[in-house]
Structure formats: structure tokens, C-alpha cells
Amino acid sequence: MASERYNAVDREKHWQKVWAEGDVFRAGDDQTKPKCYVLEMFPYPSGRIHMGHVRNYTMGDVLARYKRAKGFNVLHPMGWDAFGMPAENAAMENKTHPGTWTYANIEAMKAQLKSMGLALDWSKEFATCDVDYYQHQQKLFLDLFQKGLAYRKSSKVNWDPVDHTVLANEQVIDGRGWRSGALVEQRELTQWFFKITEYADDLLAALNTLEDWPAKVRTMQANWIGRSEGLMIRWALAGDLPEGQRELEVYTTRPDTIFGASFMAIAPDHPLAKAAAETNPALAAFCEECRQAGTSIADLESAEKRGFDTGIKVIHPFDSDWELPVYVANFVLMDYGTGAIFGCPSGDQRDLDFARKYELPVVPVVLPPDADAQSFDVGDVAYVDDGTMINSRFLDGLSTEKAFDKVADRLAEMTLFGAVAGERRTNFRLRDWGISRQRYWGCPIPMIHCDSCGMLPVPEADLPVQLPDDVTFDKPGNPLDRHPTWRDVDCPSCGGKARRETDTMDTFVDSSWYFVRFTAPDADQPTDMGAAGYWLPVDQYIGGIEHAILHLLYSRFFTRAMRDTGHLDELAEPFKALFTQGMVIHETYKSADGRWLLPTDVTIEGEGDKRSATEIASGQPAQIGPIEKMSKSKKNLVDPDDIIAGYGADCARWFMLSDSPPERDVIWTEAGVAGASRYIQRLWRLIGEIVESGAPQGTAKPARFSDDALVLRRAAHKTLQQVGQNIEGLRFNVSVAQLYELANTIQSSLGKRDQEGMAWALREAGELTVHMIGPMMPHLAEECWVQLGYNTIIADETWPVAEAALLVDDTMTIAVQVNGKRRDELTISRSASKEDVEAAALALEAVQRALEGRSPKKVIVVPQRIVNVVG
């Protein structure tokens, strides 16, 4: 057997069939057992899995298999994030229904995932486009609506002119739609929102409890929530004012700089701007131009700062003779603060750029530490840090912190039009989540519009509001708007003619609670409280860093909202531990005429700097480009099916785990995969040799072991302990390195098989090795388990317990000093007496040289730590 090659492709199919027929990985119903819920972010059914999927799901699978072997009741489900624009686009391109395209893709990808040998509970599978799923999402919406957490209002939105839908601020990247890449426009539409701001304080504070989340992700969320302590200041307006306008409210986090103010800036959609524009066509045109610009914060920060002087003035709160001009500015948004700011050019770079452009005063009001007040000036860079107040009247000499308090206290004692002139206020950058999308392939919003009764929820008994199948995609826009019958419905209140809501939900809603539904996907309510209480939170969640804000923040909101609407008990945080894996990257290749080439289109020769590529089809030299993220556009893709068909799933899994720490990018190379394949064959041969040379299965443990046999046993048990710890910590590459090292120790021990106890030690080391590779290379482990003589499956076996005595070295290494100076170190048995340690230390050549023939005056032995010889 040892000389036979392991046929990975054939045997992997066999074991996958065994697992499936035995329903081996179905989560248990016994809620008295300790549980472990392992979840990777579920995929969009695009039709093909990619190497990023292979890496992501392999990591989760290793942990799930290990926890199962450790006696945990493991839930490791899989489903599909199946709604969204790509399906509608495919329907238009291929003249098919989005559901037909989606479910065909699901079947193809499901087969691919099964070929990876993943320990998934397929009985929990669902797609978010299943009516059985989204009907419960509609129930959740109605309950959020009843609780006041879902509402409708008119607001300025990001409009994607290509996808013909609204985008959340987070879905606008550099002013473009995150899927279409089209320049986003701003429009005024009536939209549905979830009141995520209701939980802003809680979402922020609870980040401190997420100790098993990456610090980077927590920081990103904290910045997005953006809690700030500031002051709301009311400024009296002066001049020829529009009707109904007499004051301007401004929120600021830097009231200490109020004496550096040189202008006010308001958003184009601010009520004052709209009122002033009614009699000023030029201002109206400027406001409209601003609305067509980019909508993201990044766009606003990088765009040229432009303004329009309204002619309106404000009066400084502390000086009635001081008036400041009011501009409409393209860098101020109505959605943030009050839609108005006071500009302090010396303390804010954006304000400084604006002031320089429009020749407005720039007065330094904060003196940096160690700067001279007489000579300090602001050039092209604003000073934004703390310091000492200057040019600020009653604030001069104070720290910025104390100046903040003094301004707040004075304004609190002042009044403007009968109300306090200023008050402390906590503000958040976070805005409510706009969920309305003008498209077909999404969860219908279960609301009805009646001209007589207004807006009403769909009666719960009438759920689900199901998408109609007979829609057309021959025109841009939402097919539900032009369906001949679907939108027509009787009003549930008066019985008259009414209309269904045709907006569907943002697909991020679908993925914001799917992890809850996995705990009981067949429940007749959105959740089974008992199952959710047992399984949640998810113990280990794995996915990309690109979801740090959108998906993760929305999911955290949803668990709170579901708790408050009675669908969850006390759960607040959905994911106990979060891991964000690195990407899979690959070299890029270009043909002689500049076309991107697939890795399979080229042959590579040479090594290092002498590597060269040739295009197979033309025979012409090809250019080897930089290593980049795998992408369709640059064709640096590797098809998982090709790897599995050529090398086997275990080889792909092993390489993904071994190449680099899982949080870093992994460079996919043919040489690396080939190396992983060689190790698999080596391990297969090694187990074969153990079967031939080791003790037979079931042999009683010998009473004595030779020193070499003990070395092997100690190595095996230490590796067992370390591999388990490293799987728990997701340090898979370290576990792989430890298994390589153990294989070397086993190999060298085979030549000593005649020593006392060695045959038994070899059998033990072989069995422990198979247990350890089980989570990582499950098919090979099953095959080796059979070769070792067992008729069970390793997937059902318990993780072995390392013998404590073998985890402690028999020897210790201690430092040896002469007159306080380190001279050497001594390796000696832990059981050595003080006298033996002293004698061994004095016998060291380095110690004898340092003593120069003298007898030591004293030898101090600190047990298991140090020996100090005093000469």
C-alpha cells in the first residue's frame, strides 16, 4: 500500500457521498450540549465560486470540524444572498427571468461547494429570494413599522441613473454607484427608512464589548457612527431676509474657535437657501448645480470648494456689531448636523481653502504649543489641533478645552428670540438607513397606499406579498411600476381601490438577519425563540473587510430591533468573534499586443529574475505583470474546478491554509499547489509505512519506551496540543508548519522501529496525525483512517487528549553566569539535583576559562532558572 499513489479525485467523491448519505454534519437537537455556531458570509449566486470562496469556506470548515471533534454541537450552515441588481441585469441581457437565472446559479455553485468537502448542514439551506424567507422579512418590517423603527419620508437621495435605483450613502464610492460605476445624481424622493439612529449610542458603546473583533473593524464602525460632543449655536440673521427667516442654527464641535469665524456656509437644500433662491435665479441655478455633483463625503472633501454669497448676514453671538456673510456652499450637506456651519479658516482646512478663494478674513485663534503669539500666522495649512487661545477676547490664554466650556456656559446664559442662545448637544454622523430600491428583484415592502386612508400596512394574514412572475425587462426602471395588475389592491381599511408599494428592500436587509433564520429555517415565524436563544450569537463569523461598515453595522442594528419587537430575547450582538480574511492574489499576464491573459494561457519557464512567460496560442513572449487581487478584468483567475479536478479539494484546502497567515493575502502559485500535492502523497506513504512497520491496531501500550520512542511520543502529543490551540486561534498556517515538522520526526523514527516501544509509538503518532489533518484535509484523513484498520469515519471521532506528562520536556536549559556575566547555558534533566546542576555548570569549558584555574568561592543555583558562579 505504501508504494501506491493516493487518488485524491476518486476518493474525495467517495467520502463526500458517505458524508451526505449519513447526513453527518446535520446540527444536533440536543440543547444540553455546548454549542458552536460557525458561519462564513454567505455568497451571492453569481454562478461560479472563486478562490476567495475556497479560502473563506475552508477556514470556517476547519474550525467547524475541529469543534465537532471536541464534542460541541456545531451549526455550520450555507445559504444564498440571492436578490439584487445583477439578476435583473442578467434577465435583460439573456431574456430570462431573474429567478430562473438565480436558481440555476445556485445549483451550479452548490455542486462546486460540495466538491470542496465542506462540513455543511445543507438541511438549513435557503435563498433570500425564497418566498419562505422573505415573507418573514416582511413580517419583521411590519413589526418595525409598528414600533416606529420603519418610516417613510421625503429626502434627498443618491440616484443611480444606470441601475435606476436609490443607493445608500455607503453604496456610493467616489461619487459612483457601487455596482454600475455610474456617476450618482441627487434627487428628492419619498423613501422608506429604518431608524438605525435610535441605537447610535448603544451601537457605539457596545463596540468595546467586541473583544474578539479586529480593532480595525471596530474603529471603522466607530468612525462611521461618528459621535461628537459639541454646541448648538443660534445666530441672528440680518439684512434683507426671506419671509419667515430670522435665525440660523449651527452645530459645531469647536465653539472655542468662534472668534475666528469669518463666514457662514449652508447647504443648497437648507431652508434658508431655498427661501433666498426663490427671488434669486442665479442662486437657484447654483443650488441646482450643487445637487448634480457627487454625493459622497470623499467627493465633497476632494472637490473644489465653491460658494454663492446670498447677501444675508449673521450677527456674532458675542458682538452685535460684528456681521458675517452667509454663503451657500457645495461642501455642506443637509444630512449632516443642521446643514449649516460657521467657517473658521485658521482651524479647518476646508474653511481655509474657501476663505482664500473668496478673500475672506483668516484670523489665528489657537496658538500651537511652543509657538510665538507675536509671529504665528496661518499660511496654506490650517492648524487643527489643540493649543492656547489667542485673538479671542475673553478666551485669550485659555486651553481649547476650557475655552469650549466657557463659550458653552456664556451662551447658556444668553437668549435669542426668547430661547437659549446655545446648548450642549451630542451629534452623530450616522444617518437613518434608506432601504427603498426601485427594482423588481428584491423583497417587496408590505405597505399599501390609499387615497382615502393614507398609508397602511398589509394585514399579516395577507403575507407574503409575493413578486409576480410575469414581468418584463424591456424598459429601464422598476417592472413593478408598469405591471398591469400586481400593484392594484383593495384597501384593507375602506375596501376601496388602493396601490401596493412598488419599492423593494435594499438587499442588505436580506443579509442583516439571515444568521438568525439559520437557527430555525422552517419556523412559521421569523424566529424560533428557543433555537435562537441556544445558537446565538454566532461564535465565529468569517468574511471580508469590505463588509466592515455596511453589513456588520446593519446586522448589529437588526438584532437590537428584533429584540425590541419580540423576535429575540436579550441578544444584542450577533457575532461574538469576527475574522476578516485576506484576499487570494495572483500574477497578471499580458500578450505582446497588450491583451490580458489567463494563467492557463501562458507557460512559465525559469526561476527568480530569469522567469519568462510565453503565450501558448501564439508562441509569442508574454509579459509577467504585478501580483494583484484575482479579477475578471485582468484575467488573473484560477478556476477552483480545475484545481479540484487536477489535484483534489484537499490540496486546494491545504495550500490555502499553509501559505500565509489567514488575515493576510495569499499568493496563488502553481509551485505552491504542487508542493501541497507532494506533501499529501508523502503523508499517504508515511501512513502506509506505519501500517506495515508499526504495532497492529489495538496493541496494548508497552510498559517501557526507549529514549527515541519517547522523543516521538512527546513530539506527537505536543503537536496535538499545539495544532488544537492554533485551530482555535485561526492560526492555520502555524498548524500546518507543526504537522510538517511532525512528519519529519515520524519519518526519522521509522528507521528505529526495533527499539523498545517504537512500533507502538509509531502507530500512535500516525493515528494522532490523521486526527489532526482531519479538519484540514478531511478526505485524506478518512482514507488514512481506513488504512489504519478502522471501520468508523474520522469525522465522527473525538479529538484525542494529549498526555500532560508528555507536554513537559524532560530537560531544561538554564543560563550560567560567572561573577554576574553570562558565559554559557546548560541543558540538563529537570530531575537533576542541585549538586548535579552545580557540577555540570562547573564542568563547562566557558566557565573554566572564566575562572582561570581558580576554585569558585560560591555557586548559587536558582532552580530551573540560572546558575551564578562567584570566582
Side-chain angles (χ1 to χ4, degrees), residues 37 97 107 141 147 154 282 308 398 665 688-689 698 748 780 869:
Y37 185 176
H97 190 276
E107 287 308 305
F141 179 94
K147 192 77 173 177
S154 178
F308 190 103
L398 297 178
D665 294 344
E689 292 183 64
S748 64
L780 177 65
V869 179

Side-chain angles (χ1 to χ4, degrees), residues 667-856:
I667 303 174
W668 185 272
T669 65
E670 189 70 21
V673 180
S677 180
R678 286 193 297 273
Y679 177 76
I680 288 173
Q681 295 300 332
R682 181 195 179 195
L683 199 58
W684 174 247
R685 292 192 301 272
L686 202 58
I687 296 299
E689 292 183 64
I690 287 172
V691 170
E692 293 174 358
S693 304
Q697 179 194 359
T699 301
K701 182 179 179 180
R704 293 177 57 81
F705 292 93
S706 68
D707 289 344
D708 287 334
L710 282 173
V711 167
L712 175 58
R713 293 200 68 217
R714 191 168 288 113
H717 282 260
K718 280 185 178 180
T719 304
L720 175 67
Q721 181 80 355
Q722 292 165 348
V723 165
Q725 291 172 346
N726 284 314
I727 289 177
E728 291 267 12
L730 307 186
R731 297 180 294 271
F732 306 114
N733 61 311
V734 179
S735 292
V736 167
Q738 290 161 341
L739 283 164
Y740 271 114
E741 190 174 333
L742 178 59
N744 291 336
T745 304
I746 294 173
Q747 190 74 57
S748 64
S749 299
L750 282 167
K752 306 168 185 176
R753 66 195 70 183
D754 294 333
Q755 291 187 10
E756 189 174 22
M758 182 61 83
W760 194 91
L762 283 167
R763 156 66 68 160
E764 179 190 43
E767 292 189 1
L768 292 179
T769 298
V770 173
H771 277 285
M772 286 184 275
I773 67 168
M776 293 179 268
M777 295 189 286
H779 310 88
L780 177 65
E782 296 288 6
E783 199 71 13
C784 290
W785 196 241
V786 171
Q787 295 302 328
L788 285 167
Y790 292 95
N791 59 5
T792 59
I793 59 173
I794 195 72
D796 278 341
E797 292 293 318
T798 300
W799 190 263
V801 178
E803 290 186 20
L806 295 174
L807 302 180
V808 180
D809 286 327
D810 281 347
T811 60
M812 59 182 174
T813 300
I814 54 180
V816 179
Q817 297 180 340
V818 176
N819 295 327
K821 185 176 182 180
R822 183 186 176 102
R823 296 292 183 175
D824 204 344
E825 60 183 25
L826 175 68
T827 300
I828 195 167
S829 171
R830 285 186 177 275
S831 60
S833 66
K834 180 181 177 181
E835 291 74 18
D836 290 340
V837 172
E838 181 178 326
L842 292 174
L844 291 172
E845 184 178 345
V847 173
Q848 292 177 357
R849 282 201 307 271
L851 289 173
E852 298 178 342
R854 302 185 304 273
S855 297

